[in-house]
């Protein structure tokens, strides 16, 4: 795929999911206006980034309590459940591994447990941004993370183990093929499995007692998911748009910060907490992947691909109900499909790998839209009479 085709492809996918984001943005902004007043949050303008509960305003799950659709209806607090069940860092990683092995995949090698870093050391500086490794390209699997006992990190553990399982199933290939089918695949594996961390699964493993069964509980749950998954989409796309313009020279050093916030406004509809007139400021540098030079479109693609994988793995597992209820936990038929794709590494063009799991040769956001259908309907209802969008 040429660079121009790649850009077009991300644009096509963004067009598919933008209506979801627009509805979420509109509703969240309205709730923030209610909370902070329209002098702080412009009713039809950009949302101040510091009100979204995340350093980079990339995922908004932390403001769920403010946005919760039905107060008093069921919602699931995984963080509370983990703490109540006295989970520690190791136990959380074991829980992640047990999801993969439930699919019939191999246990992690003993060296993984000996050589990984799960806890932030007290005696030295480390990079805490979570990462997964195969140090010798020969199954020396490890993760490096400063785990906190909360829902966010439980999901990140699944994410990192997804990388490790990819490494594990392709390490016997020639080293040139020891890679994901494309970057987005590598980022989507663990996330796809984490979509199976449903209330029913949490009950099955004893973390919660009851599964919310009414419509209000469902909308609460979907909102929780959407604040992370849907809110992330424009952020996932804009990082590289900014970077490509920097690398091509289109954006001059004196324009780095202005270009950054122009994209944040255009795609996310957000604004900095205060004016940023100084051309020396470099807010993009606060995002790990910018100074670390890690490409970022992979996460945008993964956000969409993971639902595509999830839908197909659910079908393989014999799931028939709505997609948001599916958990492939314990379903080895889904594991077989996944393993078949992982084992390909990058030895085949990525559409072949996609086809191995989904039967399709193009990326498609339809499964993500299908997953969030109940919430989308609800949001459209809430947003009636509101002016959505931003200038
Ligand atoms: O960087 C990551 C992973 C490591 S590959 C923890 N993620 C992106 C981020 O944190 O910005 C996962 C989601 C997006
Ligand atoms: Zn990753």
């Amino acid at each position: 795929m040429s660079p121009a085709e790649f850009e077009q492809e991300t644009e096509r996918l963004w067009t598919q999911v933008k209506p979801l984001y627009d509805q979420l943005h509109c509703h969240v902004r309205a709730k923030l206006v209610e909370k902070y007043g329209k002098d702080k949050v412009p009713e039809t303008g950009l949302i101040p980034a510091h009100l979204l509960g995340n350093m980079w305003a990339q995922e908004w799950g932390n403001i769920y309590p403010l946005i919760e659709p039905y107060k008093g209806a069921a919602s699931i607090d995984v963080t509370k459940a983990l703490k109540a069940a006295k989970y520690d860092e190791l136990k959380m990683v074991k829980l992640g591994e047990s999801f993969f092995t439930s699919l019939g995949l191999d246990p992690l090698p003993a060296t993984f447990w000996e050589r990984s870093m799960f806890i932030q050391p007290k005696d030295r500086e480390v990079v805490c941004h979570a990462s997964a490794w195969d140090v010798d390209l020969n199954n020396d699997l490890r993760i490096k993370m400063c785990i906190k006992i909360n829902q966010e990190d439980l999901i990140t553990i699944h994410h990192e183990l997804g990388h490790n399982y990819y490494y594990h199933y392709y390490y016997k290939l020639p080293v040139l093929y020891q890679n994901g089918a494309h970057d987005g695949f590598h980022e989507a594996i663990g996330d796809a499995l984490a979509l199976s961390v449903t209330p029913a699964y949490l009950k099955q493993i004893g973390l919660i007692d009851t599964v919310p069964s009414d419509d209000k509980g469902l909308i609460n749950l979907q909102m929780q998911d959407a604040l992370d998954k849907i809110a992330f989409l424009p952020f996932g796309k804009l990082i590289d748009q900014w970077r490509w313009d920097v690398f091509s020279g289109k954006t001059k050093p004196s324009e780095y910060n202005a270009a950054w916030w122009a994209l944040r406004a255009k795609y996310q509809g957000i604004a900095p907490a205060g004016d940023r007139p100084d051309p020396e400021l470099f807010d993009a540098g606060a995002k790990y992947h910018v100074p670390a030079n890690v490409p970022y479109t992979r996460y945008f693609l993964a956000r969409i691909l993971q639902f595509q994988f999830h839908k197909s793995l659910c079908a393989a597992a014999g799931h028939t109900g709505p997609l948001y209820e599916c958990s492939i936990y314990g379903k080895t038929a889904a594991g077989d499909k996944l393993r078949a794709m992982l084992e390909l590494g990058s030895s085949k063009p990525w559409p072949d790998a996609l086809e191995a799991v989904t039967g399709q040769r193009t990326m498609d956001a339809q499964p993500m839209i299908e997953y969030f259908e109940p919430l989308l309907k609800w949001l459209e209802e809430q947003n009636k009479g509101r002016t959505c969008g931003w200038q």
Side-chain angles (χ1 to χ4, degrees), residues 58 129-130 156 159-160 163 187 232 287 289 296 299 303:
Q58 66 178 65
H129 191 87
T156 302
H159 176 97
E160 297 308 330
H163 289 306
E187 299 303 337
F232 179 79
K287 181 63 203 162
H289 303 68
Y296 211 82
Y299 302 108
R303 212 42 69 123

Side-chain angles (χ1 to χ4, degrees), residues 102-128:
S102 87
L103 303 178
L105 303 182
D106 295 337
L108 291 161
T111 49
F112 170 87
W113 303 101
E114 293 155 16
R115 300 173 182 174
S116 288
M117 188 192 91
F118 301 140
I119 301 176
Q120 180 167 16
K122 292 202 167 70
D123 59 343
R124 62 188 187 278
E125 287 277 335
V126 297
V127 174
C128 273

Side-chain angles (χ1 to χ4, degrees), residues 8-20:
Q8 250 173 38
E9 180 64 354
T10 56
E11 201 57 46
R12 176 182 71 81
L13 293 166
W14 170 237
T15 311
Q16 257 192 304
V17 292
K18 190 174 180 310
L20 288 178

Side-chain angles (χ1 to χ4, degrees), residues 4-311:
E5 283 167 336
F6 182 64
E7 214 174 329
Q8 250 173 38
E9 180 64 354
T10 56
E11 201 57 46
R12 176 182 71 81
L13 293 166
W14 170 237
T15 311
Q16 257 192 304
V17 292
K18 190 174 180 310
L20 288 178
Y21 183 72
D22 288 346
Q23 290 296 324
L24 183 70
H25 179 281
C26 192
H27 181 66
V28 166
R29 183 175 59 194
K31 299 300 283 182
L32 292 173
V33 170
E34 263 173 43
K35 166 87 183 165
Y36 298 109
K38 53 186 174 205
D39 54 324
K40 305 268 188 334
V41 182
E43 268 180 304
T44 57
L46 304 174
I47 302 176
H50 62 303
L51 303 183
L52 291 164
N54 174 281
M55 171 89 158
W56 309 273
Q58 66 178 65
E59 282 151 333
W60 306 346
N62 286 328
I63 60 163
Y64 174 74
L66 246 177
I67 311 294
E68 184 168 68
Y70 296 104
K71 306 265 177 237
S75 68
I76 290 189
D77 190 338
V78 175
T79 301
K80 207 167 119 193
L82 287 169
K83 288 184 173 154
K86 301 249 181 310
Y87 267 73
D88 61 12
E89 296 83 354
L90 183 65
K91 199 170 168 196
M92 279 172 67
V93 184
K94 291 271 181 196
L95 181 61
E97 182 198 32
S98 72
F99 202 103
F100 287 80
T101 54
S102 87
L103 303 178
L105 303 182
D106 295 337
L108 291 161
T111 49
F112 170 87
W113 303 101
E114 293 155 16
R115 300 173 182 174
S116 288
M117 188 192 91
F118 301 140
I119 301 176
Q120 180 167 16
K122 292 202 167 70
D123 59 343
R124 62 188 187 278
E125 287 277 335
V126 297
V127 174
C128 273
H129 191 87
S131 55
W133 307 79
D134 179 355
V135 174
D136 60 1
L137 307 178
N138 199 26
N139 212 32
D140 185 353
L141 309 177
R142 311 182 193 185
I143 66 172
K144 179 161 70 70
M145 227 183 128
C146 304
I147 298 176
K148 298 198 190 72
I149 313 300
N150 61 33
Q151 162 161 352
E152 192 177 332
D153 278 11
L154 183 65
I155 302 299
T156 302
I157 287 167
H158 286 75
H159 176 97
E160 297 308 330
L161 293 185
H163 289 306
N164 283 143
Y165 273 92
Y166 221 150
Y167 299 144
H168 175 69
Y169 280 109
Y170 64 48
Y171 83 91
K172 289 181 183 148
L173 293 177
V175 79
L176 286 173
Y177 295 149
Q178 292 191 32
N179 229 320
H182 72 44
D183 295 359
F185 281 60
H186 230 299
E187 299 303 337
I189 304 303
D191 288 8
L193 266 52
L195 288 176
S196 286
V197 177
T198 55
Y201 164 73
L202 292 169
K203 180 161 186 251
Q204 200 176 340
I205 61 166
L207 260 178
I208 59 170
D209 297 328
T210 44
V211 174
S213 57
D214 60 345
D215 291 352
K216 291 180 176 172
L218 171 64
I219 295 300
N220 277 355
L221 218 71
Q222 288 227 313
M223 180 62 85
Q224 224 166 23
D225 278 354
L227 286 171
D228 285 331
K229 300 276 174 182
I230 296 177
F232 179 79
L233 291 162
F235 182 81
K237 181 164 161 48
L238 75 83
I239 306 281
D240 280 351
Q241 307 234 146
W242 176 83
R243 183 157 31 197
W244 293 334
D245 286 347
V246 166
F247 284 175
S248 75
K250 188 176 156 204
T251 303
K252 307 276 173 285
S254 64
E255 301 159 349
Y256 284 174
N257 220 39
W260 171 255
W261 284 108
L263 287 167
R264 299 266 270 168
K266 176 176 172 195
Y267 284 103
Q268 287 185 280
I270 67 170
D275 289 342
R276 312 291 284 155
D278 181 353
E280 285 294 301
L281 295 174
F282 186 53
D283 296 327
K287 181 63 203 162
Y288 168 80
H289 303 68
V290 170
N293 208 29
V294 179
Y296 211 82
T297 309
R298 53 182 59 180
Y299 302 108
F300 170 74
L301 298 176
R303 212 42 69 123
I304 289 170
L305 269 178
Q306 60 189 255
F307 289 92
Q308 211 176 342
F309 291 156
H310 184 56
K311 183 173 162 115

